Amino acid sequence: MEKVLDVKDLHVSFDLHAGEVQAVRGVDFHLEKGETLAIVGESGSGKSVTTKALMRLIPNPPGRIKKGQILFDGRDLAPLSEREMEKIRGKEMSMIFQDPMTSLNPTMKIGKQIMEPLMKHQKLSKQEAHKRAAELLVLVGLQNPEMRMKQFPHQFSGGQRQRIVIAIALACNPKVLIADEPTTALDVTIQAQILELMKELQKKIDTAIIFITHDLGVVANVADRVAVMYGGQIVETGTVDEIFYDPRHPYTWGLLSSMPSPDTDHEAELRAIPGTPPDLINPPKGDAFALRSEYAMAIDFEQEPPLYKVSDTHFVKSWLLHEQAPHVEPPEIVKLQRRSLPGNYEKPVLAGEGVDNG
Ligand code: ADP
Ligand code: MG
C-alpha cells in the first residue's frame, strides 16, 4: 500500500493567557491511497485541530504547530510557506466542514464558486471550467446544473449545500479529502444520503478520505480504518473490524457503550462515559483517560503508556496491554452494540474471537 499522508509526532498548541493549550500531543498516523480513515472521539479530543494542522489552517496566533512532520507524498508540509500551501490546499488536499456555509460565499453564484478552483489550479479556460462545474453538480446529485449554477447558496437546502461543498472539494481530484463532521448539522435522512454520496464518489474517484465524526455508528458504514482520539492523542487505531469486534482501550469501550443505536433492546443500558475530558493546559501525567477509567491501575497515574501492537493494523496505547497487566474483558454492552451495526456489515473472523450470535 502506498502512503499518501504520513503524520509523525504532531504537536499543536494554542498560547492563551491562561497558558499553553496542548490540543494535539504527539499524534502519529498514516493514510493510504484511496482509503477512508475515520477519526473518532468526544468533543474536544483534538480531531479538528489535528486535521486543520494537516491543511495548515491553524490560526496563528494563538495556534502553532509545535513539533512534528506532515509528510504528504513524502514532502513535509509543516514548514511550508503560506504561498506554497496555497498550491496544495483545494488542489491536492481539500477539507469540508460541518456547516457548508463556512465554505460557501453567500454573495457569489454557485457556478462561479465551483469554477474558481478549476481555473486557478487546473488552469481550465472559463468555458472548460463551466462545463466541468456542471458535470460536478450532476456527479454530486444535483439536477438542472445550468439553472443551478446561476443560483446563490441560500437558494439551496442544507443537504444540497453540502453536496455543492463536496463538488468544490473534489473539483481538482484531490489526493486527500478531509471531512470534518460533514453530516452533523443535517437531519438523519439527509445525513444518510450524504454518506451514501461520499461512498459512491470514493469508488469513482480515487481520493483518500479522513472522515471525522463523534458518532461511531456511521463509522462501520464509511471507514476502512479508525483512529480513536482522546485528550489530543490517538489511543487506539485499527481496522473497522478490529475496533468494533476487538476493541482494547477502555476509552474505545466507553465510546462503543455510548453509541446511540436504533436497536431499543439495550437502550436502557447505554451509558455515557463518566467524567470530563482532561485539562489540556495541565494534561494529567500518565494515561490521560485514567481518571475516568474503572480499569485504571497505579501505573496509569504515573507513566504514559506506550503504543502496544495487537496486529499489523491494530495499535493500543494502554497499560492494559502490558503482558503483566490483569486480563480484563470489555463490558457486555460493547458486545451488544455490535447488533446495531449496519445490516450489510458482516462479522469478520478475528484471531481469538469466539462465534457471536448477536
Ligand atoms: P474536536 O474536533 O475533537 O471536538 P478540537 O480539535 O476542536 O476538538 O479541539 C481540541 C482542543 O483544542 C480543545 O480543548 C479546544 O478547546 C482547543 N482549541 C481548538 N481551537 C482553539 C483555538 N482557536 N484557541 C484555543 N484553543 C483551541
Ligand atoms: Mg471538531
Side-chain angles (χ1 to χ4, degrees):
M1 266 296 179
E2 205 181 316
K3 284 181 191 175
V4 54
L5 255 182
D6 200 2
V7 177
K8 295 183 172 174
D9 199 27
L10 183 67
H11 290 251
V12 184
S13 285
F14 295 92
D15 296 305
L16 307 184
H17 287 299
E20 177 189 339
V21 179
Q22 300 172 44
V24 175
R25 305 185 296 133
V27 156
D28 288 89
F29 70 92
H30 73 275
L31 185 67
E32 283 164 17
K33 206 165 168 262
E35 78 166 337
T36 299
L37 172 74
I39 302 184
V40 302
E42 290 166 296
S43 174
S45 54
K47 307 180 298 293
S48 296
V49 171
T50 298
T51 45
K52 278 186 186 159
L54 307 184
M55 295 280 288
R56 294 281 310 279
L57 290 173
I58 299 292
N60 178 330
R64 63 192 157 100
I65 294 176
K66 190 177 164 186
K67 195 178 161 197
Q69 288 182 307
I70 302 161
L71 299 173
F72 176 73
D73 267 347
R75 179 186 187 200
D76 190 5
L77 303 184
L80 292 194
S81 68
E82 178 57 24
R83 242 184 93 197
E84 289 171 302
M85 257 331 277
E86 274 168 12
K87 292 185 206 144
I88 291 173
R89 235 183 262 134
K91 177 168 186 261
E92 309 268 9
M93 242 202 259
S94 304
M95 188 155 179
I96 63 180
F97 299 93
Q98 180 173 329
D99 176 6
M101 285 312 269
T102 41
S103 314
L104 295 174
N105 179 343
T107 68
M108 197 193 278
K109 286 178 185 161
I110 287 304
K112 197 163 176 221
Q113 297 193 51
I114 308 176
M115 286 162 64
E116 267 191 350
L118 293 165
M119 285 155 60
K120 180 180 163 204
H121 292 304
Q122 309 279 77
K123 311 282 180 241
L124 297 192
S125 70
K126 206 169 166 187
Q127 288 79 358
E128 289 166 333
H130 185 98
K131 185 163 166 273
R132 180 75 186 128
E135 287 168 5
L136 282 162
L137 280 181
V138 174
L139 184 73
V140 297
L142 289 170
Q143 308 302 316
N144 301 321
E146 291 297 335
M147 183 267 286
R148 288 307 219 170
M149 282 170 68
K150 294 188 197 111
Q151 295 183 319
F152 292 93
H154 72 266
Q155 293 170 284
F156 295 82
S157 69
Q160 288 172 333
R161 282 184 210 140
Q162 200 58 297
R163 287 173 188 268
I164 294 164
V165 172
I166 292 172
I168 296 171
L170 295 178
C172 301
N173 297 317
K175 293 200 176 99
V176 176
L177 173 69
I178 299 169
D180 190 349
E181 312 230 12
T183 62
T184 305
L186 306 171
D187 74 52
V188 179
T189 326
I190 309 295
Q191 265 186 31
Q193 290 172 8
I194 297 287
L195 290 176
E196 202 46 50
L197 170 68
M198 291 192 60
K199 262 175 32 183
E200 260 172 52
L201 291 175
Q202 179 152 36
K203 272 184 221 149
K204 283 186 201 160
I205 51 175
D206 203 22
T207 300
I209 298 179
I210 299 180
F211 193 96
I212 299 177
T213 177
H214 61 267
D215 181 359
L216 262 174
V218 307
V219 166
N221 235 328
V222 298
D224 301 304
R225 280 192 307 128
V226 184
V228 180
M229 276 197 86
Y230 184 74
Q233 299 179 324
I234 292 177
V235 297
E236 180 158 10
T237 175
T239 63
V240 168
D241 292 347
E242 286 164 338
I243 296 300
F244 280 100
Y245 286 91
D246 190 22
R248 300 292 184 104
H249 198 290
Y251 180 62
T252 311
W253 298 345
L255 286 181
L256 286 164
S257 303
S258 57
M259 179 172 90
S261 80
D263 183 358
T264 45
D265 294 20
H266 60 276
E267 196 93 55
E269 299 165 65
L270 279 186
R271 21 176 209 188
I273 306 174
T276 50
D279 171 8
L280 295 173
I281 293 183
N282 296 298
K285 124 174 166 194
D287 184 327
F289 189 60
L291 283 166
R292 301 172 71 185
S293 173
E294 59 186 284
Y295 309 94
M297 301 176 287
I299 191 166
D300 282 309
F301 297 95
E302 292 300 324
Q303 218 174 315
E304 204 178 305
L307 198 63
Y308 288 97
K309 178 175 171 173
V310 180
S311 77
D312 284 345
T313 46
H314 192 182
F315 295 86
V316 186
K317 192 174 165 65
S318 165
W319 285 115
L320 286 177
L321 276 283
H322 189 281
E323 54 185 12
Q324 277 158 27
H327 179 78
V328 291
E329 282 287 321
E332 249 341 91
I333 185 166
V334 168
K335 293 175 193 162
L336 289 173
Q337 284 290 53
R338 296 169 187 168
R339 284 192 216 161
S340 49
L341 293 176
N344 59 357
Y345 186 82
E346 283 185 26
K347 187 199 177 300
V349 181
L350 290 170
E353 261 279 321
V355 177
D356 181 83
N357 296 316

